[in-house]
Amino acid sequence: MIVALDYPGAQDALDMATRLSPELCRLKVGKELFTRAGPALVEQLQAQGFEIFLDLKFHDIPNTVAGAVRAAADLGVWMINVHAGGGRRMMEAAREAVDAGTHRPLLIGVTVLTSLSDADLAELGYAETAAQRVTRLAALAADSGLDGVVCSAQEAATLRAQRGDAFKLVTPGIRLAGDAAGDQRRVLTPGQALALGADYLVVGRSVTAAPDPLDALQRVRAELAA
Ligand code: C5P
């Protein structure tokens, strides 16, 4: 379980971390929080025992992405990601950069942003539907040596069948039964996502907006165990 720390600043993130437990979850630090609080926050969270998914979705020319990936790996984080749409040479450069380091985070690809509809993709000049493009980019990510992809739980079953057991599937859009979906369009419970083949669940507000976040985490654990 990966709890998304979607906060505008370090103090909110650190306050939430103290209400969680590294035994029960890892933490995701994304673009807003990292841009404000930077490597120092990542180091503070790691000092509290948490493993970190640094969700910066790198997308640039291969040389630049390789440098960014090296810098992220040097922070000692557990998982990092790049946009699969950056292409084979970009992903291979990222793979080489991780493998050349002493600390090797999991290297994950982002296929199609879930905010993009088929109509958005058509406007961008892509002839494929989002589902077709997810399949294509996941295959390219695997072929380029990435450890897995971020995908919706709905895509997990297909990708699990296509890519086999070792390919990591990281799935957001998780809600505990009874929680509000908020801005997410398609949500599944933790148990449903696991049954569809997810390896790691990204859970944000179902945990962080709960009156007792630790209790919410334990409820997710209980659901997964069941
Ligand atoms: O609060 P909630 O559980 O919706 O948070 C989900 C987290 O996963 C957020 O950090 C969001 O940016 C991220 N995410 C997502 N959908 C994607 C990729 C990442 O919701 N396709």
Side-chain angles (χ1 to χ4, degrees), residues 117-197:
S117 66
D118 289 347
D120 294 323
L121 291 178
E123 189 177 42
L124 288 166
Y126 297 117
E128 293 169 321
T129 63
Q132 289 168 331
R133 202 164 158 73
V134 166
T135 290
R136 171 192 296 279
L137 289 175
L140 184 61
D143 210 40
S144 306
L146 267 55
D147 296 308
V149 292
V150 181
C151 66
S152 71
Q154 282 87 354
E155 293 156 356
T158 307
L159 290 178
R160 177 62 66 222
Q162 289 169 344
R163 303 262 63 85
D165 283 344
F167 199 63
K168 307 280 187 246
L169 301 178
V170 181
T171 61
I174 304 294
R175 287 292 177 273
L176 288 180
D179 281 359
D183 55 355
Q184 297 279 18
R185 286 289 163 272
R186 292 163 294 145
V187 296
L188 290 180
T189 66
Q192 288 170 329
L194 190 73
L196 288 169

Side-chain angles (χ1 to χ4, degrees), residues 4 6 28 57 114 150 172-175 184 202-205:
D6 290 320
K28 180 169 90 67
K57 301 186 180 71
T114 45
V150 181
I174 304 294
R175 287 292 177 273
Q184 297 279 18
V202 177
V203 188
R205 287 159 289 182

Side-chain angles (χ1 to χ4, degrees), residues 17 29 40 46 59 72 74 83 90 99 108 117 120 125 144 148 159 166-167 173 198 204 215 221:
V29 173
Q46 290 181 146
H59 191 172
D74 286 347
H83 269 285
M90 191 206 79
D99 290 348
I108 299 296
S117 66
D120 294 323
S144 306
L159 290 178
F167 199 63
D215 174 68
R221 296 279 286 207

